[in-house]
Amino acid sequence: MNIVILSRNPNLFSTERLVNEGEKRGHDMEVIDPLKCDLIIEKEKPTIYYKDRYLDYVDAIIPRIGASSTFFGCAVVRQFEMMNVFTSVTSDAIIRSRDKLRSFQRLSKAGIGMPKTVFTNYSRDVEKVIAHVGGTPVIIKLLEGTQGLGVVLAETKNAAESVLEAFNGLQARALVQEYVSEAKGADIRALVVDGQVVGAIKRQGKKGEFRSNLHRGGTAEVIKLNEAELKVAMKASRVLKLPVCGVDMLQSARGPLLLEVNSTPGLEGIETGTGKNIAKSIITYIERNRNS
């Protein structure tokens, strides 16, 4: 197959791993920057032009689109879909997962546990908002934040008020979420491929850091998910229609609580932590499903 990885940087660990595993399995792998594609929209003949050629030979794509490239990146994925090219993750699913509020609403309706969350339209009644999630400390998250950016722990009412006022002043919409103290700065990342969990790690934030992101100095260890955690990860994948995704959860006294579903999960931390070949799983998923 001719498989294209939509990525702005061919040297990223995840992109390189996918290229290597695809080539090992006999596929022609190519990395294309989605922001350099021209979308040609014509009656019954949608096409994509990239550099010096038309991309009319592509069998499947793997979107690796960053948050800052969501709008045009998803337009490129959608164009490939119109050309009947198989994609590991659809454009609609990426857009759905990038909207934290929308995805939380869908996941909540599906009965998936998550930290109590409040969203208001630039409310200045901070005391009421904090009371809705059980009091301070609280987590405040920008709707557009990724990789731990735009996530703040406010330990007091005054701190929460200051952060929310700052976000409001920037017209940045934010969620206020309860702080789950028993998680102790750790979370679980489960990697789902074709609706099944293929690997999981427990990420622990460095001392004094409530965010567990590995690139912020966190550490990771392999973990075996219990039945409830497996169910949450797989159900979240189904609800958001993301056959390939990373599902982040907290371990709490009331069971696993979903934090986020990532449509473009990094592979380095989870492959290194588990020793599992996740990139190969993604390539074989495409092989199984392209013609189904």
Side-chain angles (χ1 to χ4, degrees):
M1 278 192 291
N2 293 307
I3 300 177
V4 160
I5 300 173
L6 295 175
S7 173
R8 301 214 63 204
N9 186 352
N11 299 317
L12 290 176
F13 179 92
S14 300
T15 302
E16 288 186 338
R17 287 286 299 117
L18 289 163
V19 169
N20 291 339
E21 289 302 323
E23 289 177 345
K24 282 181 184 178
R25 296 186 65 81
H27 303 298
D28 291 322
M29 305 296 294
E30 183 178 5
V31 180
I32 283 177
D33 183 346
L35 298 193
K36 293 181 179 178
C37 291
D38 294 331
L39 309 184
I40 302 172
I41 301 169
E42 185 180 358
K43 182 180 179 181
E44 296 182 352
K45 192 182 177 183
T47 53
I48 299 175
Y49 190 78
Y50 180 74
K51 292 186 176 178
D52 58 352
R53 62 195 182 280
Y54 292 98
L55 302 181
D56 53 5
Y57 55 86
V58 179
D59 298 306
I61 61 170
I62 303 174
R64 301 288 308 174
I65 295 167
S68 62
S69 308
T70 298
F71 175 78
F72 193 78
C74 284
V76 173
V77 176
R78 193 179 308 115
Q79 190 83 347
F80 274 115
E81 292 168 348
M82 291 167 60
M83 294 162 60
N84 296 317
V85 173
F86 179 80
T87 176
S88 60
V89 182
T90 67
S91 57
D92 283 347
I94 296 171
I95 292 170
R96 195 160 41 236
S97 69
R98 292 277 164 87
D99 185 334
K100 285 190 177 69
L101 178 60
R102 183 181 178 188
S103 60
F104 276 13
Q105 289 172 320
R106 292 176 68 96
L107 294 163
S108 173
K109 178 90 164 39
I112 294 175
M114 59 188 66
K116 187 177 290 187
T117 302
V118 175
F119 174 75
T120 65
N121 189 36
Y122 304 128
S123 171
R124 299 194 179 277
D125 191 349
V126 177
E127 191 168 347
K128 179 180 70 177
V129 172
I130 292 172
H132 282 319
V133 297
T136 55
V138 296
I139 303 292
I140 302 173
K141 296 181 177 181
L142 287 177
L143 284 181
E144 300 294 325
T146 61
Q147 297 184 329
L149 296 173
V151 181
V152 178
L153 170 61
E155 300 195 57
T156 66
K157 176 179 172 293
N158 287 339
E161 188 171 295
S162 296
V163 172
L164 285 172
E165 284 179 354
F167 285 165
N168 288 346
L170 294 169
Q171 294 190 322
R173 295 185 180 276
L175 299 167
V176 179
Q177 200 168 69
E178 72 170 303
Y179 176 66
V180 181
S181 59
E182 62 264 35
K184 298 179 180 178
D187 71 7
I188 294 171
R189 160 64 63 91
L191 212 299
V192 177
V193 177
D194 205 5
Q196 300 296 314
V197 174
V198 294
I201 53 174
K202 185 172 184 177
R203 306 182 298 186
Q204 178 68 56
K206 67 180 181 180
K207 188 174 182 180
E209 173 61 76
F210 73 96
R211 293 168 295 187
S212 60
N213 305 73
L214 299 183
H215 71 283
R216 295 189 174 278
T219 57
E221 61 177 333
V222 64
I223 185 173
K224 183 177 181 180
L225 301 186
N226 61 35
E227 186 176 348
E229 292 160 350
L230 286 168
K231 285 182 177 179
V232 167
M234 292 187 291
K235 188 171 184 178
S237 168
R238 290 196 305 273
V239 170
L240 295 184
K241 298 181 180 178
L242 286 168
V244 178
C245 61
V247 180
D248 297 341
M249 297 174 278
L250 292 178
Q251 292 177 311
S252 81
R254 59 185 191 269
L257 301 177
L258 188 139
L259 285 177
E260 187 174 7
V261 183
N262 191 325
S263 59
T264 313
L267 303 183
E268 185 171 10
I270 198 155
E271 284 201 336
T272 303
T274 64
K276 293 187 176 180
N277 193 335
I278 308 296
K280 179 181 177 181
S281 297
I282 294 172
I283 298 297
T284 57
Y285 156 68
I286 291 172
E287 293 170 349
R288 288 193 303 270
N289 289 273
R290 182 202 161 212
N291 295 318
S292 63

